[in-house]
Amino acid sequence: MIPTMKSIPALATLLIAAIPSLSVAETLRVIGSTTVNPVVAEAAEVLREEAGLTIRVDTAGGSSGGIHALGAGRSDIAMSSRPITEADRERYPSVRFDSHRAGEDALALIVSHDVWQGGVRAIDREQMQAIYERKTTNWKSLGGPDRRIAFFNKEPGRGSWEVFADWLYGKAENSPPVAHPEVGANEEARTKVAATRGAVSQLSASWVDGETIHALAITGDDGQPVEPTHEHITDGSYPLNRTLWLITDGPPQGAAKRLIDFIQSPRGHEIVKKHGYLPPM
Amino acid sequence: MHALPHGRLTWQKRRPPDAVVFTCLAAAALFLALLGFTLILWVREAWPAIRAHGGEMLTSGEWFYRHQHFGALAMIYGSAVVSLLALLLAAPVAFATAIFISEWLPHTLRPWAKAAVEFLAAIPSVIYGLLGIMFLRTWMADWLAPFDPLSGDMLLTAAVLLAVMILPTVTTFAEDSLRAVPAAQRLAARGLALNRTQTIHRIVLPQAWPGMIGAALLGLGRGLGETIAVFLIIGRLDNRLPESLLDPAPLIEPGQTLTSKLGGPETHIAMGDPLHWGAILTLGLILLVLTTLFVSLGNLLLRKNPAHP
């Protein structure tokens, strides 16, 4: 039957009425950290093929974005490279944050190739503080080339930034208000540091290629530089190590439980290692 | 006294609204309702911040959400500088192209040229942004090396990228308003022994001018609202207000626009905190006001062209 002009309103009503019945099969929503993302994305792919699970993985807003999405009920699992804080619990009092370890990672302080070649191989906390507060603005004072320091700050709210600020100031809340050019996702930090002379930023150590970007060692109070290697993450001597988390509201159930169990299984550990992280300790 | 438009009146009286009219009315009502609903919801969510920080948002350049400072001035400055500069760069090229397509190009080639220009407008902005990250950032940093910019992320890079992006919009609208000048007038000018350049100068441009300015303003509106491409190359540095509005130094430094702020992760963090969330939405309202202003002005001028008296 060809619809006549007069039947258009009736058709429109029918169409609108039909929309709810078109809702798709239940999807597991995972939102958060770009650091945790490669592991979850690959695990989701495996579970989709083997168990027919529909899992949507999204990195909007990084770790904090993921935690807030979980708190607001917009996601089922938050991926995070920082632990849940008191502030998170206060903000979402009705949410029972339940954290599960997905792996271990080091946050590296990365520099561009020219800085590395210029002789800067290690940095200590005070030096980093001075860069962060713009008191040191040239690599020369760190034994490097005579070049301005281009510090790209990870966007506040990113897990990497929280871990970095906790290390630098004891607690992220104590960090002074400063303004720096910001980078968001790990991909962006990697690309921009690689393409900028005199650049330094914070980035997950497993994303460092050692050619265009390099990870600085961190000099401890004993004067010994410690590189962000797996060995130093395991023995805890590298100060900027961190756990990668999968966080749920209450104990995970159904598809969420399957995903977390899979990532914590030996097969999941292989995926974690493949992406350069350590399986949970 | 004027005669009543008799035919039309009887038509309206005799026939009840049929399905087509009814559907159109219903759709229009739905549209208005949605618009009103969105605006009410928007203002309501922004209200806590407007009430607590409204004045501060427009007069202060300090934005530190952890310390409850919500000054938007640096972002307004960023948005204004980047889009105005983009327009300044794009408009001469766009106008010249429009004049070429409208006045010089043979009839048969004109649709092809128009299609090519409009194709450029259809490229998703994230593609422009990625090309910007890959090439433009580096080129600009190398090119401006004598001035020692910190990196390729700067207001100027964003303006150049935005100029490329609004170029097709401005060109195609400017060309439309040139075309709207009746062909008979060109013929008459030819009859008066004016050559092509003189015709453009004396006959076409004086009439098409308001429309071309309108096209530029539409481009400005387009530039103000652009988010993702700017986000990727502007550096997202908060709180950088210049000492003077004419100071060129900030142009080769990173900055922040209203849209690059809105595109960042703070929107996700702000959710659930009425004040912070309200401040973020107020940024959107400021952007809405600015864009509406330029786009309406542009439309007004476009309508002034001779084809629509």
Side-chain angles (χ1 to χ4, degrees):
Chain A
M1 194 193 88
I2 299 161
T4 59
M5 286 297 192
K6 285 212 171 129
S7 63
I8 286 177
L11 275 179
T13 322
L14 263 180
L15 272 178
I16 291 167
I19 288 171
S21 63
L22 291 173
S23 63
V24 287
E26 206 169 316
T27 308
L28 184 70
R29 299 160 302 172
V30 189
I31 303 183
S33 160
T34 48
T35 305
V36 188
N37 174 55
V39 173
V40 176
E42 189 167 337
E45 197 59 34
V46 173
L47 287 177
R48 194 171 64 96
E49 269 171 29
E50 293 181 3
L53 294 184
T54 324
I55 302 172
R56 200 178 65 211
V57 191
D58 180 358
T59 57
S63 298
S64 292
I67 289 167
H68 290 307
L70 180 71
R74 286 183 290 111
S75 85
D76 304 303
I77 301 179
M79 305 182 280
S80 179
S81 56
R82 67 166 175 88
I84 289 288
T85 61
E86 254 337 285
D88 296 324
R89 291 186 202 281
E90 273 169 32
R91 185 126 159 214
Y92 302 104
S94 63
V95 174
R96 292 167 301 152
F97 289 108
D98 190 8
S99 306
H100 313 269
R101 287 165 187 271
E104 303 289 328
D105 177 36
L107 178 70
L109 301 174
I110 57 161
V111 291
S112 51
H113 190 61
D114 61 312
V115 176
W116 183 260
Q117 286 302 51
V120 181
R121 301 288 161 96
I123 194 167
D124 66 28
R125 207 167 69 148
E126 273 167 32
Q127 289 168 329
M128 193 62 233
Q129 267 187 12
I131 292 177
Y132 192 76
E133 291 165 19
R134 291 181 177 281
K135 288 174 187 152
T136 303
T137 55
N138 196 304
W139 285 111
K140 218 160 65 177
S141 47
L142 292 165
D146 180 11
R147 186 160 294 145
R148 283 207 288 160
I149 297 175
F151 178 59
F152 291 101
N153 199 11
K154 267 282 199 178
E155 287 161 338
R158 294 266 170 193
S160 301
W161 184 85
E162 303 273 346
V163 170
F164 169 81
D166 278 344
W167 168 68
L168 215 49
Y169 295 102
K171 239 177 129 194
E173 286 78 31
N174 300 338
S175 65
V178 286
H180 292 287
E182 288 175 1
V183 287
N186 287 351
E187 291 85 351
E188 190 190 2
R190 184 172 60 184
T191 312
K192 286 200 169 168
V193 169
T196 307
R197 282 180 291 271
V200 53
S201 185
Q202 314 98 318
L203 182 67
S204 165
S206 67
W207 291 60
V208 174
D209 62 6
E211 287 170 20
T212 57
I213 52 174
H214 303 265
L216 295 178
I218 291 178
T219 311
D221 296 335
D222 57 358
Q224 286 300 314
V226 184
E227 283 112 30
T229 56
H230 282 178
E231 187 195 343
H232 292 146
I233 302 171
T234 313
D235 66 20
S237 58
Y238 183 75
L240 275 166
N241 58 11
R242 55 179 177 173
T243 302
L244 305 179
W245 301 96
L246 296 171
I247 305 164
T248 51
D249 180 5
Q253 285 166 348
K257 183 165 164 45
R258 291 202 63 173
L259 177 67
I260 292 171
D261 284 349
F262 178 75
I263 290 174
Q264 290 182 334
S265 75
R267 276 179 74 198
H269 290 174
E270 288 309 310
I271 296 177
V272 170
K273 280 191 231 162
K274 183 179 146 193
H275 290 285
Y277 310 121
L278 286 174
M281 288 185 281
Chain B
M1 206 179 131
H2 279 292
L4 282 170
H6 191 69
R8 194 185 155 123
L9 202 68
T10 49
W11 178 83
Q12 275 179 343
K13 263 186 188 162
R14 220 181 284 148
R15 292 184 54 182
D18 65 5
V20 177
V21 175
F22 178 79
T23 312
C24 291
L25 277 177
L30 184 69
F31 173 79
L32 280 179
L34 276 177
L35 187 70
F37 181 68
T38 310
L39 271 177
I40 289 170
L41 211 62
W42 194 346
V43 173
R44 201 193 69 175
E45 294 283 299
W47 189 245
I50 297 178
R51 203 178 49 191
H53 297 278
E56 184 205 336
M57 286 195 74
L58 291 177
T59 53
S60 155
E62 301 267 293
W63 179 287
F64 295 111
Y65 72 91
R66 278 162 204 276
H67 300 81
Q68 303 277 320
H69 288 309
F70 298 113
L73 208 54
M75 289 171 246
I76 297 174
Y77 165 78
S79 279
V81 163
V82 168
S83 32
L84 281 174
L85 209 59
L87 186 63
L88 226 57
L89 293 170
V93 183
F95 288 172
T97 312
I99 293 173
F100 175 76
I101 294 177
S102 160
E103 308 299 319
W104 262 284
L105 215 56
H107 288 309
T108 45
L109 287 179
R110 198 179 149 260
W112 294 99
K114 277 287 264 194
V117 169
E118 276 157 20
F119 168 76
L120 282 178
I123 297 176
S125 56
V126 66
I127 301 293
Y128 281 106
L130 291 174
L131 292 175
I133 279 206
M134 282 191 287
F135 302 107
L136 191 61
R137 267 187 97 244
T138 323
W139 291 341
M140 294 291 285
D142 291 343
W143 181 54
L144 290 167
F147 300 99
D148 194 25
L150 208 50
S151 78
D153 294 332
M154 40 188 156
L155 294 178
L156 196 60
T157 314
V160 171
L161 187 69
L162 212 50
V164 177
M165 293 179 68
I166 66 173
L167 198 58
T169 314
V170 181
T171 307
T172 193
F173 282 119
E175 204 269 348
D176 285 345
S177 64
L178 286 166
R179 274 281 117 191
V181 177
Q185 297 200 10
R186 292 189 182 81
L187 275 179
R190 191 74 59 82
L192 293 170
L194 264 66
N195 66 23
R196 204 192 293 253
T197 316
Q198 288 167 327
T199 309
I200 293 169
H201 241 285
R202 302 276 162 78
I203 309 294
V204 179
L205 280 184
Q207 296 183 73
W209 202 233
M212 291 172 79
I213 301 290
L217 287 174
L218 286 187
L220 193 65
R222 163 97 178 75
L224 270 175
E226 177 48 46
T227 304
I228 189 71
V230 172
F231 178 84
L232 288 171
I233 52 160
I234 198 166
R236 277 123 66 199
L237 170 73
D238 272 329
N239 311 326
R240 182 61 61 86
L241 262 183
E243 313 233 311
S244 134
L245 278 180
L246 297 174
D247 183 4
L251 296 182
I252 61 161
E253 282 173 18
Q256 185 89 278
T257 64
L258 290 162
T259 53
S260 68
K261 188 62 158 185
L262 288 169
E266 255 197 69
T267 43
H268 300 272
I269 298 169
M271 246 174 250
D273 174 350
L275 215 54
H276 190 191
W277 178 238
I280 292 278
L281 283 179
T282 308
L283 294 182
L285 281 177
I286 296 172
L287 189 65
L288 178 78
V289 170
L290 288 177
T291 313
T292 312
L293 205 73
F294 288 120
V295 173
S296 336
L297 204 61
N299 277 326
L300 208 72
L301 288 170
L302 270 184
R303 232 173 283 143
K304 262 194 160 180
N305 79 27
H308 314 275

